[in-house]
């Protein structure tokens, strides 16, 4: 992992995500954080740059991390962020999920979810209530279907190699509602081989209420990050596009990392 973009609109939520990113990546000398801000009028350019420089100085004062700033005039926030991620070959985007006002909550929150749909790179969503915690326990959700073809093992391993957490793999397939099947066991074995270097622990959940179940599991196992694989037309992909995802992200107490298959 070399480049991480953190978009900020200077709301407390985005500043919280920036502080989280700085703490998370402190000591990882090969990684550069880019503080990104887009503005709608050319007259705002100087002020935006000044504010980014001030934020950069504040963060670097307390954290040992490489950091740059990037300010662009853009008509559409998500288009600008996607372009920045592509041009800088970003490995990760870290962003908040709400804003500082009711309007900002709608705009910044929806922009966060829209960015995950672009699938240009993994997106880490940092809930406003999420305190920083070193990544010691990471939860990977999977429906255990076509795991070899659908699991983005390389980027997941790249991420795990940076932080070296304990990996907890949790089945989140509503079809396994009553009993486990032979296919499930086969896919579990494939997943085990895929992440053998990380000594994964496996769990099965009955999904009466997926967001509640995931959050309860995260709390019970001291999970510091939840990884969700965004599979096209899958159960979890549908979750990522409806109100249930908003409930999961808005109410989650830990960051959520969304990766496209």
């Amino acid at each position: 992992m070399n480049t991480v973009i953190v978009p900020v609109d200077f709301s407390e939520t985005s500043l919280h995500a920036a502080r989280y990113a700085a703490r998370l990546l402190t000591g990882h000398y090969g990684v550069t954080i880019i503080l990104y801000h887009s503005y709608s009028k050319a007259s705002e350019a100087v002020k935006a740059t000044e504010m980014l420089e001030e934020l950069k100085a504040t963060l670097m004062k307390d954290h040992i991390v490489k950091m740059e700033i990037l300010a662009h005039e853009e008509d559409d926030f998500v288009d600008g962020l996607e372009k920045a991620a592509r041009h800088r070959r970003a490995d990760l985007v870290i962003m908040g999920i709400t804003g500082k006002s009711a309007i900002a909550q709608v705009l910044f929150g929806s922009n966060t979810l829209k960015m995950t749909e672009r699938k240009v790179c993994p997106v880490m969503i940092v809930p406003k209530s999420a305190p920083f915690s070193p990544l010691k326990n990471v939860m990977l959700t999977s429906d255990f279907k076509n795991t070899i073809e659908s699991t983005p093992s390389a980027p997941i391993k790249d991420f795990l190699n940076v932080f070296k957490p304990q990996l907890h793999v949790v089945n989140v397939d509503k079809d396994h509602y009553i009993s486990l099947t032979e296919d499930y066991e086969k896919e579990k074995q494939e997943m085990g081989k895929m992440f053998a270097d990380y000594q994964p622990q496996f769990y099965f959940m009955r999904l009466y209420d997926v967001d509640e179940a995931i959050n309860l599991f995260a709390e019970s196992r001291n999970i510091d990050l939840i990884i969700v694989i965004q599979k096209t037309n899958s159960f979890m992909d549908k979750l990522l596009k409806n109100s249930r995802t908003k409930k999961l992200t808005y109410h989650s107490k830990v960051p959520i990392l969304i990766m496209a298959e």
Side-chain angles (χ1 to χ4, degrees):
M1 187 161 62
N2 299 309
T3 303
V4 175
I5 295 181
V6 182
V8 292
D9 64 353
F10 302 106
S11 66
E12 180 53 38
T13 296
S14 69
L15 294 177
H16 173 65
R19 290 191 291 267
Y20 180 96
R23 293 190 66 181
L24 178 68
L25 297 169
T26 287
H28 295 282
Y29 304 109
V31 181
T32 299
I33 294 176
I34 298 177
L35 299 176
Y36 171 82
H37 177 73
S38 65
Y39 50 88
S40 58
K41 300 178 182 178
S43 59
E44 300 172 343
V46 174
K47 182 63 174 178
T49 299
E50 291 177 349
M51 293 178 71
L52 283 177
E53 288 286 7
E54 182 178 344
L55 176 59
K56 173 186 172 183
T58 299
L59 293 173
M60 293 189 68
K61 180 180 178 181
D62 299 323
H63 306 94
I64 303 174
V65 62
K66 294 180 181 178
M67 195 170 293
E68 300 176 1
I69 67 167
L70 179 62
H72 275 177
E73 180 180 354
E74 298 287 351
D75 294 326
D76 184 275
F77 172 84
V78 178
D79 286 345
L81 179 55
E82 179 186 3
K83 181 167 64 177
R86 285 190 289 101
H87 288 185
R88 296 302 182 98
R89 295 182 179 176
D91 302 288
L92 178 66
V93 168
I94 299 178
M95 58 196 303
I97 191 61
T98 61
K100 59 187 177 182
S101 66
I103 293 178
Q105 287 179 16
V106 173
L107 294 177
F108 204 64
S110 62
N111 281 334
T112 301
L113 297 178
K114 286 178 181 178
M115 187 60 190
T116 68
E117 294 176 7
R118 298 295 177 93
K119 302 180 180 180
V120 64
C121 70
V123 176
M124 182 186 295
I125 299 173
V126 181
K128 187 176 181 179
S129 60
F132 174 78
S133 178
L135 301 187
K136 296 180 180 179
N137 291 286
V138 168
M139 170 183 175
L140 171 61
T141 62
S142 174
D143 60 10
F144 283 34
K145 292 182 178 179
N146 301 317
T147 53
I148 294 179
E149 296 84 0
S150 63
T151 303
S153 58
I156 291 177
K157 289 178 181 179
D158 288 344
F159 184 87
L160 296 176
N161 287 337
V162 172
F163 301 102
K164 298 177 171 54
Q166 171 62 56
L167 180 62
H168 304 262
V169 182
V170 180
N171 173 252
V172 291
D173 183 1
K174 65 178 181 179
D175 293 336
H176 295 140
Y177 194 73
I178 299 176
S179 62
L180 305 184
T181 64
E182 291 184 6
D183 287 340
Y184 167 87
E185 292 294 343
K186 179 181 177 181
E187 296 294 343
K188 177 182 174 181
Q189 293 299 320
E190 294 290 355
M191 189 76 92
K193 294 176 184 177
M194 188 181 300
F195 296 107
D197 292 343
Y198 310 96
Q199 299 180 330
Q201 298 179 13
F202 289 88
Y203 309 84
F204 167 75
M205 285 195 309
R206 296 180 185 277
L207 297 184
Y208 298 105
D209 187 325
V210 63
D211 44 273
E212 181 180 0
I214 288 174
N215 282 319
L216 286 174
F217 179 90
E219 183 175 354
S220 68
R221 296 287 175 171
N222 296 316
I223 298 298
D224 303 302
L225 177 76
I226 300 169
I227 299 177
V228 173
I229 300 172
Q230 192 172 12
K231 298 171 67 173
T232 304
N233 297 322
S234 73
F235 174 54
M236 289 306 294
D237 189 49
K238 293 176 182 177
L239 289 178
L240 289 167
K241 293 180 179 179
N242 66 20
S243 60
R244 182 168 283 177
T245 298
K246 294 181 180 179
K247 183 178 178 182
L248 174 61
T249 52
Y250 281 115
H251 294 177
S252 176
K253 295 181 181 179
V254 299
I256 299 171
L257 176 61
I258 300 176
M259 292 192 172
E261 72 173 325

